[in-house]
Amino acid sequence: MEHLLQSVDWDGVKVILAVADRQSFRQAAQDLGRSVNTLRGIVDRLEDQFGFPVFNRHVDGAKLTVEGRRVVSAARLVERSMMDLMRVAQSASDTMKGPVRLAVTEGIGTFWIVPQLVDFLAGPGRDIQVTLQCALQAVDVLRLEADISIQTAEPTAFDVVKHKIGCVHMTLFAGRAYAERHGLPTTLAELADHRIIEQEMDQFTGYGLDRIYTPEIAERIVALRTNFASAHYWAIAKGAGIGMLPNYAAAIGGDLVPLDLGLRIPVDLWLAVHPEMVKTARHRAVVEWLDTCFSAETYPWFGDRYMAPEEIEAFLRGSTKLKGYFSGFTPLNPMAEPLPIDKLEQL
């Protein structure tokens, strides 16, 4: 047994834990950024070492054997011990120097966090090294998948430090090119005759069109699905169809026209951080900075009240603080000019 423990590949044990969590080699491979065949090979070698199968492979996934459940239970204890060791090491130095791993949804990370991160890192006395992970699914800060997470699902772990940081209000937009070619719907019933661009990912699971229409209609009208927020944004802005975007989306620079059909989806944003991490100065500084990034006082569209895109446009035009905030994403002006009256009358 001692020889076996010395020869165990602990990276391979992490693979076993990932497959056990997802009950799928394919899903675990996506999470770990490795190929399915690589994960299968790693698990096969460990099973040879153990002398018994850890998983029963099925068409619908991978299920733990009885022995596999014992392996995973023991591995969890080792994993927690290693995390405790890492937390002690990371919290030992209460300075503004060192790494901070921040996980955030891809769209908010790209279009909202990064522009403000530049100024934050340039602040006096800061030598923080930020790793920004644009996650497609919620991460587990207790397992140190990230130090700090901004996610759309409320963390459920008892000892995680968490608070609601803001709310993103999703509403319908069309690209100006689409509006000029196909016209715009004025009711949800008319929307069923248009092309829909839908975003689907673990943290945002689509628009629920099958509940608005029939499942058959919902499937027919979706022209494009994507799990990537920036691809979703540009597909709409370039005229591929109508889709839901944050109510401040027109400020980013795409030539967008908002549609008020009463279809809105509020998405709460939660900040989660490991209780040990908030003991370091650099992590506290990042948490405080993130709170300012989503302050409803400064950026009212992140408040609980829905703010229409036209209100946001007027707010931004009168703001000196946010003037040019989104410059550089596109060569367009921060907010697109409205369609000419003669064009509107033709729609």
Side-chain angles (χ1 to χ4, degrees), residues 54-110:
V54 176
F55 294 101
N56 288 319
R57 279 78 160 173
H58 299 283
V59 175
D60 59 344
K63 309 296 183 185
L64 286 167
T65 62
V66 174
E67 295 84 357
R69 286 198 292 271
R70 294 174 62 189
V71 168
V72 167
S73 178
R76 295 284 188 216
L77 294 176
V78 175
E79 182 186 44
R80 183 168 291 277
S81 296
M82 293 299 294
M83 289 176 183
D84 288 342
L85 179 62
M86 291 175 63
R87 285 195 293 270
V88 169
Q90 288 184 328
S91 62
S93 176
D94 194 26
T95 70
M96 290 295 285
K97 182 177 182 179
V100 173
R101 296 178 301 156
L102 170 62
V104 62
T105 57
E106 180 254 335
I108 288 178
T110 299

Side-chain angles (χ1 to χ4, degrees), residues 203-333:
Q203 298 198 44
F204 185 77
T205 55
Y207 307 159
L209 294 175
D210 55 338
R211 297 190 295 272
I212 298 174
Y213 309 108
T214 65
E216 293 76 18
I217 292 176
E219 183 62 28
R220 171 180 60 79
I221 63 178
V222 175
L224 173 65
R225 287 189 178 91
T226 177
N227 68 339
F228 219 59
S230 52
H232 176 72
Y233 178 89
W234 291 120
I236 297 170
K238 294 298 182 181
I242 296 170
M244 299 200 80
L245 294 168
N247 53 350
Y248 60 87
I252 294 172
D255 205 356
L256 295 169
V257 180
L259 284 76
D260 187 7
L261 304 184
L263 182 58
R264 301 166 189 162
I265 301 178
V267 181
D268 288 340
L269 295 177
W270 289 86
L271 184 144
V273 59
H274 194 285
E276 293 297 324
M277 292 301 175
V278 292
K279 295 180 181 179
T280 72
R282 65 183 184 276
H283 288 91
R284 289 196 302 272
V286 171
V287 169
E288 291 168 4
W289 164 68
L290 287 170
D291 281 330
T292 65
C293 289
F294 294 91
S295 166
E297 211 171 289
T298 309
Y299 315 112
W301 49 87
F302 288 123
D304 289 332
R305 182 187 75 85
Y306 171 76
M307 192 174 184
E310 294 80 7
E311 289 183 77
I312 297 174
E313 177 181 355
F315 178 87
L316 289 174
R317 284 178 174 167
S319 171
T320 56
K321 177 180 175 63
L322 289 174
K323 186 176 182 180
Y325 175 87
F326 292 105
S327 63
F329 283 117
T330 71
L332 299 175
N333 292 328

Side-chain angles (χ1 to χ4, degrees), residues 106-123:
E106 180 254 335
I108 288 178
T110 299
F111 295 116
W112 189 250
I113 293 295
V114 167
Q116 300 191 77
L117 183 59
V118 174
D119 292 337
F120 172 74
L121 292 177

Side-chain angles (χ1 to χ4, degrees), residues 25-39:
F25 279 92
R26 186 171 301 280
Q27 292 294 326
Q30 291 178 0
D31 292 347
L32 298 175
R34 304 167 81 170
S35 72
V36 174
N37 288 337
T38 297
L39 264 60

